[in-house]
Amino acid sequence: MGELKRFVLRLTARSPLLIGDRRADTQYTESLDHIPGSRLRAAFARAILSDCPLFDPAEARDGRRWWVVYQGRPECEGCPWATWCRQFEEIRFTQATPGGARILPLTAMGCKVDCGRSGVMDTLLRRLAWQQRLRERPDEDWQPPRFNCVCGGRLENRGGWYDPRAARPVSGPRRQAFTRLMIDPIRGAAAQGQLYTLLPIAPGAEFTAQVEAPAPPPCAELRVGARTTTGWGRCAVVVTEADESEDVGERIGRFQAALEAARQAAGLGPARDVYLALTLLSPALVGPLPDGSPAQLGAAESRAILAAALGLDRLFPGAELAHAFTGYEMKGGWRLSDGGWAESRHYLVAGSVLVLRLRPGDAGELAERCARAERLGIGERTEDGFGQVEVCASYHVSEAVR
């Protein structure tokens, strides 16, 4: 088996893209504004199997249809997809974001009246310092101040995308509306009340993802998403080798220094422990949770259960999930691969921030663990782009995103 290398995929939509997640109702379907890693894997599986002379759509392997399995027959020699086919289950995809943007964290806030003077600000460091003051001085009569804009108005939470290179929020891809009419199959005429609307991403949108694979994919075009048999989902593909990422150790050092400054502003002394902020760049699939209502658990116990369900104890032994700024979603659905029903599972939404507390130790070993967490992700199905994280992201330190 060949060693996996990291490549950058740049996809440009040549036709409308319908990347479905959930329908608002039976007559309205809006595309996601990004391409999940699982959709990229499905698109490449379709490309491999469509080019394979040995593939039989009616044949199921292990109860699954349209599943890539290397057969090792003479026809496989010389196939351009052979290296991908051999290691397809080992290949790792990230989600494809518009123009390579990143999701704004749940700690990002902006002026409620959009005065234009403060931009979008990240409030993580101040939240941490204030929460730590409440925990370290439980008997003190003190309440955290309210988040205010420089204009005097309130700050409110902001979502969307953020360009890490230009340090500013960016809009998502443009969508294009298509309204269609369903035909009654019995009468052969328009069915009453059966107008439906599709809102796919318009052609020209650009997306960027990364993939760990034994070789660059041998294709210049890919069909992504739904309705590909009607001409939708065509994407031009450009592949380049990924650049070396910024040193994680430097980010950790900047984050600790910024947190110390925030603690000092809150009237606290230096912290004795090391704090790591894990910001989710994509939704994280949480592992099995115990039965019972979370409302019956204390905050510390709930954080410990969440840390275990995400596998944080394996990546960072001895670490405590000290702070969590998260949102949850429940998702289930129908599996097309084997025709089964997928039970609903808990997902942490993209932009959630998990803050770990660790005892001081070897800085080099900690940086290696953080780099491994960024490469492998947290939670389940990380090979499909779930649970991507960035450790001590720079926008938490810079605070302002103009």
Side-chain angles (χ1 to χ4, degrees):
M1 296 294 180
E3 180 183 356
L4 299 184
K5 302 177 183 178
R6 204 165 188 87
F7 300 96
V8 175
L9 302 178
R10 291 183 172 85
L11 295 88
T12 303
R14 291 178 171 172
S15 63
L17 293 181
L18 187 60
I19 313 297
D21 183 31
R22 276 186 169 183
R23 292 186 177 185
D25 56 39
T26 58
Q27 295 173 304
Y28 182 83
T29 302
E30 181 178 358
S31 175
L32 295 174
D33 59 359
H34 63 283
I35 306 176
S38 56
R39 305 299 198 277
L40 287 178
R41 182 180 296 276
F44 278 105
R46 182 190 294 123
I48 293 172
L49 296 176
S50 297
D51 291 346
C52 181
L54 304 176
F55 172 63
D56 181 5
E59 182 181 1
R61 291 180 176 271
D62 300 327
R64 292 169 167 171
R65 301 181 186 276
W66 287 86
W67 205 255
V68 175
V69 177
Y70 183 68
Q71 302 188 34
R73 293 165 63 174
E75 293 89 337
C76 300
E77 298 299 326
C79 174
W81 288 106
T83 53
W84 271 58
C85 194
R86 288 190 189 96
Q87 297 178 252
F88 193 70
E89 293 190 0
E90 301 174 26
I91 294 174
R92 306 180 65 87
F93 297 89
T94 69
Q95 69 174 7
T97 61
R102 293 180 180 173
I103 197 77
L104 279 171
L106 297 187
T107 52
M109 303 185 77
C111 180
K112 189 171 184 178
V113 297
D114 288 323
C115 69
R117 297 169 60 185
S118 62
V120 179
M121 304 178 64
D122 189 76
T123 59
L124 175 65
L125 293 173
R126 280 179 284 174
R127 291 173 188 261
L128 293 181
W130 295 345
Q131 287 189 10
Q132 289 171 12
R133 177 168 175 171
L134 291 173
R135 293 180 186 179
E136 295 176 16
R137 303 176 182 177
D139 299 328
E140 184 180 37
D141 185 14
W142 178 83
Q143 290 296 323
R146 189 176 65 179
F147 287 113
N148 287 329
C149 178
V150 293
C151 71
R154 283 194 175 189
L155 295 179
E156 63 180 3
N157 291 95
R158 291 293 177 87
W161 298 100
Y162 154 77
D163 185 349
R165 296 159 296 186
R168 60 180 177 84
V170 294
S171 58
R174 184 175 63 88
R175 291 179 173 86
Q176 184 176 1
F178 291 84
T179 300
R180 297 288 186 264
L181 178 65
M182 287 185 179
I183 302 300
D184 189 322
I186 304 299
R187 297 169 51 244
Q192 184 177 2
Q194 291 303 303
L195 277 174
Y196 67 98
T197 299
L198 303 174
L199 204 63
I201 296 171
E206 297 182 353
F207 297 88
T208 302
Q210 291 194 6
V211 57
E212 283 190 6
C219 64
E221 185 175 281
L222 202 62
R223 296 295 183 101
V224 184
R227 294 180 171 263
T228 56
T229 57
T230 62
W232 285 18
R234 294 177 55 226
C235 289
V237 180
V238 176
V239 184
T240 57
E241 291 192 6
D243 298 329
E244 292 292 330
S245 59
E246 182 186 9
D247 182 56
V248 184
E250 295 182 4
R251 271 187 272 139
I252 296 174
R254 290 197 298 268
F255 186 81
Q256 304 310 310
L259 180 57
E260 291 298 331
R263 284 175 57 89
Q264 184 177 2
L268 298 175
R272 299 177 181 178
D273 299 318
V274 176
Y275 288 87
L276 300 177
L278 308 184
T279 304
L280 280 175
L281 305 180
S282 63
L285 176 57
V286 179
L289 296 172
D291 296 332
S293 171
Q296 300 173 354
L297 304 175
E301 188 176 3
S302 296
R303 290 195 302 268
I305 291 174
L306 177 60
L310 292 171
L312 297 179
D313 51 343
R314 296 191 299 271
L315 291 169
F316 301 98
E320 174 196 356
L321 180 56
H323 307 270
F325 307 93
T326 61
Y328 291 88
E329 289 181 345
M330 290 287 291
K331 293 184 180 180
W334 191 260
R335 292 193 303 266
L336 297 179
S337 60
D338 59 1
W341 180 258
E343 295 184 3
S344 296
R345 300 284 301 276
H346 286 87
Y347 290 78
L348 286 185
V349 300
S352 296
V353 184
L354 308 172
V355 181
L356 304 181
R357 179 169 59 198
L358 304 90
R359 295 295 182 187
D362 182 77
E365 180 183 356
L366 179 59
E368 290 180 4
R369 290 187 180 277
C370 292
R372 187 167 182 266
E374 289 188 338
R375 186 178 70 85
L376 298 180
I378 60 175
E380 299 185 358
R381 289 186 61 191
T382 57
E383 67 278 3
D384 288 334
F386 292 104
Q388 296 172 237
V389 296
E390 185 176 10
V391 179
C392 297
S394 297
Y395 48 68
H396 291 313
V397 175
S398 61
E399 288 200 355
V401 181
R402 299 294 176 183

